[in-house]
Structure formats: structure tokens, C-alpha cells
Amino acid sequence: MSQLSEQQCEACSIDAPKVTEDEIEQYKADIPEWQIVDRDGIMQLERTFKFRDFQQALDFTQRVGEIAEQADHHPAILTEYGKVTVTWWSHKIKGLHRNDFILAARTDEVAK
Ligand SMILES: C[C@H](O)[C@H](O)[C@H]1CNC2=NC(N)=NC(=O)C2=N1
């Protein structure tokens, strides 16, 4: 199977299936630095990236925005001096879809 980051996102619709526990375990192996958080019952993927200063944090934020626009799938991003917290989940299904794991993997790619 190709790298998670290279897999295709699928159009996420309101009746799209949330990931199963087994899928979470499978996909999580490719993105070990990400945490799964439960925010008011909505499961989300979250990681904080560290940078030298605010400009580097801003540049990374821009790159994350570009991959989000390419996929038409968007994260929550908190950009601060020296760090950026990225949170992925699928609004339509109020939880985690395979797309979120793909985009988390792509986020790791643009952090390098
Ligand atoms: C109309 C547009 O395609 C949809 O609203 C997209 C936009 N980006 C999105 N991003 C995320 N994370 N979840 C969504 O359900 C979603 N839906």
C-alpha cells in the first residue's frame, strides 16, 4: 500500500463512515506523533509543531493551508510564536474520516 500521504482523499459526505478502531490503529502507525483527542464527543487528530520563530510558524501555516485547499478539507490551525497546533477532523460527520489521517500525513510532509 502506498504511503498514507500519497493516498487519495475521497469526497466526504454527511453519510460517510467514521474510521473504525481497527482503521485508527492501522493509520495511526503512519503518524505516530499525532494525538487523538475527544472534544465534546468529536474525535480529532492533533499535533503541535515547534519552530524557531513566528515567521517559520507562519510559513508552515501557509503550507498547511495549501494542502487543505488542494484537498478541499480544512483543519483548525493555531499559529503562535515558535509553534503551530494543527487539528484535523471531518465537520460533516463530526468525527474522524480516513481523509483526516491522509491530511495529517501530508501535514508532516510539509513540516520538513
Ligand atoms: C463545501 C465544502 O466542500 C465543504 O464544506 C468541506 C470544506 N472543508 C471541510 N473540512 C473539514 N475538515 N470537514 C468538512 O466536512 C469540510 N467540508
Side-chain angles (χ1 to χ4, degrees):
M1 178 173 317
S2 68
Q3 283 266 54
L4 191 55
S5 62
E6 292 157 5
Q7 291 182 31
Q8 283 305 308
C9 285
E10 56 201 58
C12 181
S13 61
I14 198 156
D15 53 2
K18 291 191 177 89
V19 286
T20 63
E21 285 300 315
D22 287 349
E23 286 170 325
I24 288 174
E25 197 173 324
Q26 175 193 341
Y27 299 146
K28 192 67 178 61
D30 281 7
I31 50 167
E33 296 86 356
W34 290 73
Q35 301 299 319
I36 292 191
V37 295
D38 180 338
R39 288 226 165 80
D40 302 327
I42 298 178
M43 303 305 281
Q44 302 176 335
L45 272 173
E46 189 159 285
R47 182 180 177 187
T48 296
F49 297 81
K50 301 290 176 60
F51 296 97
R52 189 184 59 226
D53 53 27
F54 189 76
Q55 184 59 57
Q56 280 209 348
L58 209 48
D59 294 347
F60 169 66
T61 302
Q62 175 65 29
R63 296 198 297 274
V64 177
E66 284 161 6
I67 64 171
E69 282 294 280
Q70 280 162 13
D72 187 29
H73 197 73
H74 304 86
I77 306 175
L78 175 61
T79 302
E80 302 171 90
Y81 183 93
K83 62 180 180 176
V84 178
T85 300
V86 182
T87 308
W88 290 101
W89 79 100
S90 294
H91 310 155
K92 285 194 185 65
I93 62 173
K94 295 184 172 49
L96 285 174
H97 185 275
R98 181 167 167 275
N99 292 344
D100 297 305
F101 290 83
I102 292 170
L103 283 157
R106 290 184 190 170
T107 304
D108 285 345
E109 297 283 316
V110 298
K112 290 173 185 157

